[in-house]
Amino acid sequence: MSPPAATASTARQVLQRRAIQCSFSSVFHLRNCAGTGTGAEATTAMKEAKNAERIFFRAVALPVYAMGVIGVAAYGHKQWK
């Protein structure tokens, strides 16, 4: 038995809000839950999950990568100066 549409919509909004706030577990939970629906609901959920992943990647992964590159460059500059 699936939850009522209003409950599912509210839960999805909470997960999306947490994804925007870069909650690592929420992003992947949203992706895993996206495949559980059927029809148009599943398609919409999958698009929302992809959007949450894209937001998370841009907000977290890219800055971490940039800090790593800068850190390696600074360490290298310090060692071979």
Side-chain angles (χ1 to χ4, degrees):
M1 182 173 184
S2 64
T7 304
S9 177
T10 303
R12 186 174 292 132
Q13 288 174 352
V14 169
L15 287 172
Q16 285 176 332
R17 193 175 324 115
R18 288 184 65 197
I20 291 170
Q21 294 170 347
C22 300
S23 172
F24 186 75
S25 61
S26 293
V27 171
F28 293 101
H29 180 71
L30 187 62
R31 179 175 36 154
N32 292 338
C33 289
T36 60
T38 58
E41 221 177 81
T43 304
T44 302
M46 188 58 79
K47 287 178 184 177
E48 291 172 353
K50 291 289 182 189
N51 187 39
E53 285 182 59
R54 188 171 33 257
I55 291 168
F56 178 80
F57 184 75
R58 289 178 182 167
V60 175
L62 291 178
V64 167
Y65 175 76
M67 287 189 324
V69 168
I70 291 169
V72 168
Y75 180 76
H77 180 71
K78 179 181 171 184
Q79 291 296 319
W80 293 290
K81 186 174 183 182

